[in-house]
Amino acid sequence: MPDPDLPFPTVTQYASPDLIAAIVYDGHDQGADPRWAESGAPDADTYRTWCGHMCGIACLRMALLARDGDAPSLFELLDGARTYGAYTEDPDTGAIRGLIYAPFARYVQAVHRLRAQVHPTLPVPDLLALLDSGRLVMASVHREIRRPENPAPGKGGHLVLVTGRRGDTVHFRNPSGHTDRTRTASLPVAAFAEFFAGRGVSLT
């Protein structure tokens, strides 16, 4: 695992990082992102449908970039994950379910040669032990971890890539961070735990 004090790639699930605040807080049309094509989406409508569900895919892309220096586009990775069943779509409503951990783990192991372990129950001490052992952790947190100065409104529903820890501080990359500081982020363990659902996927 990279030293948390050293540079580590930061990838957002939205093609234009400077639009994230407007998208997540002001109702900006996701499909109106002028850089949508950089995600690898075939068209703006497909990008609009999927970009809000791509936090886990962005985490995977960061892990691959850290290891290889290069990685497929977000939508290439999404297509692969969907092939393995890591996302499902309701045929009647179009509702998207995912990221589903077990098929995602099978995908990244089979296709990208990353060791992936699903942790349906992951207490904070075990999370720290995984980091200390050299693993990256895709951790389920509430999306409002990007505003940790406010009380946590819940836990889980969004994935961030925890890259390491230094003492009582965890370092992570947030694919939907609305500022540079919240995309390349760190928090005291106790503050992180307020948003953390106690589950995730570790990678190495």
Side-chain angles (χ1 to χ4, degrees):
M1 182 193 68
D3 186 312
D5 289 337
L6 296 177
F8 190 94
T10 299
V11 173
T12 58
Q13 65 193 84
Y14 302 101
S16 295
D18 60 335
L19 287 179
I20 292 176
I23 289 169
V24 300
Y25 292 124
D26 300 329
H28 187 280
D29 178 7
Q30 297 177 155
D33 188 328
R35 296 173 57 184
W36 65 263
E38 296 176 28
S39 70
D43 53 63
D45 284 340
T46 302
Y47 174 81
R48 178 186 289 109
T49 298
W50 282 95
C51 62
H53 302 276
M54 300 273 274
C55 51
I57 296 299
C59 289
L60 172 59
R61 190 162 195 268
M62 285 186 266
L64 294 174
L65 286 169
R67 185 189 69 180
D68 301 333
D70 193 16
S73 72
L74 289 173
F75 271 79
E76 288 176 295
L77 295 172
L78 174 66
D79 288 345
R82 291 177 68 190
T83 298
Y84 276 73
Y87 291 88
T88 62
E89 291 181 83
D90 186 291
D92 298 320
T93 67
I96 295 169
R97 176 173 174 257
L99 188 115
I100 305 168
Y101 291 170
F104 174 78
R106 290 193 292 270
Y107 163 61
V108 299
Q109 290 179 154
V111 176
H112 299 292
R113 305 180 314 282
L114 281 169
R115 280 182 53 215
Q117 182 178 354
V118 175
H119 302 275
T121 302
L122 186 60
V124 168
D126 293 351
L127 167 68
L128 299 179
L130 288 169
L131 298 172
D132 291 343
S133 73
R135 295 177 76 83
L136 302 169
V137 180
M138 293 170 51
S140 178
V141 300
H142 194 279
R143 63 183 180 273
E144 278 301 294
I145 199 169
R146 58 184 164 236
R147 297 196 293 191
E149 67 277 9
N150 298 330
K155 298 189 177 190
H158 175 62
L159 288 165
V160 299
L161 185 67
V162 188
T163 60
R165 66 127 165 191
R166 181 75 62 192
D168 290 331
T169 299
V170 292
H171 299 255
F172 61 98
R173 299 295 186 268
N174 184 354
S176 73
H178 64 305
T179 64
D180 288 341
R181 186 174 181 180
T182 60
R183 289 188 282 272
T184 301
S186 61
L187 281 177
V189 171
F192 185 88
E194 292 298 309
F195 298 85
F196 178 45
R199 59 181 178 266
V201 179
S202 62
L203 304 172
T204 189

